[in-house]
Amino acid sequence: MNAVIIAVLVMIGLSLMRIHVVIALITGAMAGGLAAGFSITETIEIFTGGLDSNVTVALSYAMLGAFAVGISYTGLPNLMVKAAIKIVGREGEARKKTLTKVLLLFIITIIASFSQNLVPVHIAFIPIFIPPLLKVFNELRMDRRAAATALTFGLKAPYILIPAGYGLIFHDIVATNMEESGMQVEMAMIPQALMLPVAGMLLGLLVAIFVTYRKERNYEDVELTAAEESDQYDYTGAGIAVGLLAIIVVLYSQLMTDSMIFGALTGLIILYLYFGYLHVRKKLSISQSEQLLTNGMKMLAFIGFVMIAAGGFAEVIRETGHVDLLVEATSGWIGNNHGLAAILMLIIGLFITMGIGSSFATIPIIAAIYVPLAAAIGLSPMATIALIGTAGALGDAGSPASDSTLGPSAGLNADSQHNHIWDTCVPTFLHFNIPLIIFGWIAAMIL
């Protein structure tokens, strides 16, 4: 069997068995390397060589976690929660609660969408925005799988469709790699070609909210450590102002420098000054502030370790050379059958992206192979764009190693009641990857 398929199946299978995703990634990489003919030592060396590719991202998430928990001490998240609970009402009727749940899910989707294009901070907003809302979710008895689906939609669909922020980067990668592979396309063609696949994702979101996860689900009201400690402090308007200022500075710094690390650092500096003020007023000791930020780093350390392991896994997949073999073998079955070609290309894209965990990193790999293959069987440039864009997006949702699933899990699991695989990866896989395959295939057939 193809080493890529073996590696991905082992990784997914172990993850579904609730084996820790880092262990699953390492084991999958070893299985793929051995299947490709590498020795154990060679596989380990290749895996280790790929670990540094995501170290910057891991450090960024750790600092964002510290910033997110630090913000809780300004009183801003508590204010958000109290306002939301006041709007919902503890004695609200069933209909009111249902409408509020739907409204809240759409607000989450819009904010997540803004994080890709309007204010491109990606998942940086999640550890700040989501944990304080968990009490509201519990009050509404909201199924957090619906919230995970809403967040992942907002983290993916906008950059696939809209050429701004991360979307501009994604579209430029598609156009550039298609041109380098011998097919000239205009940037304006990409949103047109990907409109139908994104419509499939929207349909999946609506099904998740109104059908699959519309029933109530009970969660325990578990106090977060930061919230428990913060209740003893007497916050004033100054704390709220500091919280708002820190968030604005983080977003501005990140936009100006294109660095999550520097953005989080500027916010932490502001919070340290505020902690110094609390220390002078004997409301927070130095050791408490240090423990606070350490706990915040621990909150997103999970994402960091997964992203680092995913870098090694992706390096092993690339080094096997079996991505090319997979597509070459597939091309022999296709002939001139456009329908069969499209579905096989999409399924291959699903396997590759599930393993690599990034749409952006997948596009250069599949474009080099898909463009000549599409040209050989007579697919139009628009149809080729639809296949490449959809194949790149496939697997990002549902992948245990994707930040589009890791980010939502980190926020929704702040009280340890949300499972990364079964409550984020499986729901997003079912509601987005299946519609993407169907609507991406239709787009390739009609364009």
Side-chain angles (χ1 to χ4, degrees):
M1 286 183 66
N2 186 277
V4 175
I5 295 177
I6 291 175
V8 172
L9 287 179
V10 169
M11 183 266 290
I12 295 173
L14 291 175
S15 296
L16 291 175
M17 293 168 61
R18 296 184 184 270
I19 303 297
H20 195 284
V21 66
V22 172
I23 304 300
L25 283 165
I26 297 173
T27 306
M30 294 299 296
L34 293 174
F38 298 142
S39 67
I40 293 178
T41 302
E42 289 172 331
T43 304
I44 292 173
E45 289 177 353
I46 296 170
F47 182 87
T48 304
L51 295 180
D52 61 352
S53 61
N54 286 332
V55 168
T56 301
V57 178
L59 179 58
S60 300
Y61 289 162
M63 295 189 68
L64 284 172
F67 175 73
V69 175
I71 281 289
S72 69
Y73 269 72
T74 66
L76 182 59
N78 286 343
L79 182 66
M80 293 167 53
V81 170
K82 290 177 181 178
I85 291 177
K86 185 177 181 180
I87 294 173
V88 173
R90 291 191 176 274
E91 302 299 331
E93 313 86 16
R95 177 176 172 79
K96 179 181 177 182
K97 285 193 173 184
T98 299
L99 293 175
T100 304
K101 280 195 290 187
V102 172
L103 177 61
L104 190 55
L105 287 169
F106 279 116
I107 290 174
I108 291 172
T109 302
I110 292 170
I111 293 174
S113 298
F114 285 168
S115 74
Q116 301 304 298
N117 308 105
L118 185 63
V119 185
V121 295
H122 199 37
I123 69 168
F125 76 97
I126 291 178
I128 299 171
F129 181 71
I130 296 300
L133 290 177
L134 293 182
K135 286 185 179 180
V136 181
F137 293 171
N138 294 349
E139 177 65 28
L140 293 169
R141 299 172 70 184
M142 178 192 295
D143 193 327
R144 295 186 193 178
R145 291 174 294 183
T149 309
L151 284 168
T152 300
F153 176 89
L155 293 173
K156 281 182 58 66
Y159 78 70
I160 297 172
L161 181 63
I162 303 171
Y166 286 106
L168 181 61
I169 298 173
F170 182 75
H171 289 199
D172 182 64
I173 291 173
V174 172
T176 300
N177 282 276
M178 288 185 67
E179 182 178 348
E180 290 177 353
S181 299
M183 185 176 288
Q184 188 78 30
V185 296
E186 299 292 334
M187 287 280 283
M189 298 167 63
I190 298 176
Q192 300 173 35
L194 295 177
M195 190 175 298
L196 195 55
V198 171
M201 289 189 66
L202 178 59
L203 177 61
L205 174 66
L206 296 176
V207 170
I209 292 175
F210 291 108
V211 181
T212 316
Y213 306 123
R214 66 182 177 83
K215 293 183 179 179
E216 295 182 345
R217 193 177 187 187
N218 294 320
Y219 297 88
E220 295 181 13
D221 280 327
V222 178
E223 291 288 344
L224 303 182
T225 302
E228 288 176 338
E229 296 176 354
S230 65
D231 286 342
Q232 62 183 296
Y233 302 121
D234 179 25
Y235 293 113
T236 63
I240 306 299
V242 169
L244 289 171
L245 175 63
I247 291 174
I248 292 171
V249 169
V250 167
L251 296 178
Y252 178 79
S253 301
Q254 184 174 331
L255 288 172
M256 292 298 100
T257 63
D258 196 28
S259 170
M260 284 195 292
I261 294 176
F262 184 76
L265 177 63
T266 57
L268 286 171
I269 290 173
I270 294 174
L271 292 178
Y272 262 115
L273 294 175
Y274 178 62
F275 292 160
Y277 164 74
L278 292 178
H279 177 62
V280 170
R281 295 188 61 191
K282 298 183 179 181
K283 291 182 175 291
L284 184 70
S285 68
I286 297 298
S287 61
Q288 283 177 315
S289 65
E290 289 297 321
Q291 185 62 42
L292 168 71
L293 299 183
T294 300
N295 289 339
M297 290 187 179
K298 289 179 181 177
M299 183 176 72
L300 293 190
F302 168 72
I303 292 182
F305 282 117
V306 173
M307 294 300 291
I308 291 173
F313 184 92
E315 186 67 17
V316 172
I317 284 181
R318 283 189 285 264
E319 288 297 317
T320 63
H322 280 217
V323 172
D324 292 352
L325 294 177
L326 180 61
V327 177
E328 288 173 8
T330 304
S331 64
W333 309 336
I334 292 172
N336 289 319
N337 189 324
H338 290 189
L340 180 61
I343 194 68
L344 289 177
M345 284 184 183
L346 292 173
I347 292 174
I348 290 170
L350 171 63
F351 271 95
I352 296 172
T353 312
M354 285 286 287
I356 295 177
S358 168
S359 300
F360 293 81
T362 302
I363 294 297
I365 297 173
I366 61 178
I369 307 163
Y370 281 23
V371 168
L373 182 59
I377 64 175
L379 287 174
S380 70
M382 287 284 283
T384 307
I385 293 172
L387 286 172
I388 291 175
T390 305
L394 272 168
D396 198 349
S399 172
S402 168
D403 48 10
S404 295
T405 58
L406 286 165
S409 289
L412 294 167
N413 192 43
D415 61 357
S416 302
Q417 295 187 79
H418 184 89
N419 182 268
H420 175 56
I421 300 299
W422 289 102
D423 293 335
T424 296
C425 294
V426 172
T428 55
F429 182 94
L430 295 174
H431 290 89
F432 295 138
N433 288 336
I434 293 175
L436 276 170
I437 289 177
I438 295 172
F439 283 75
W441 183 85
I442 294 173
M445 292 299 95
I446 66 177
L447 292 175

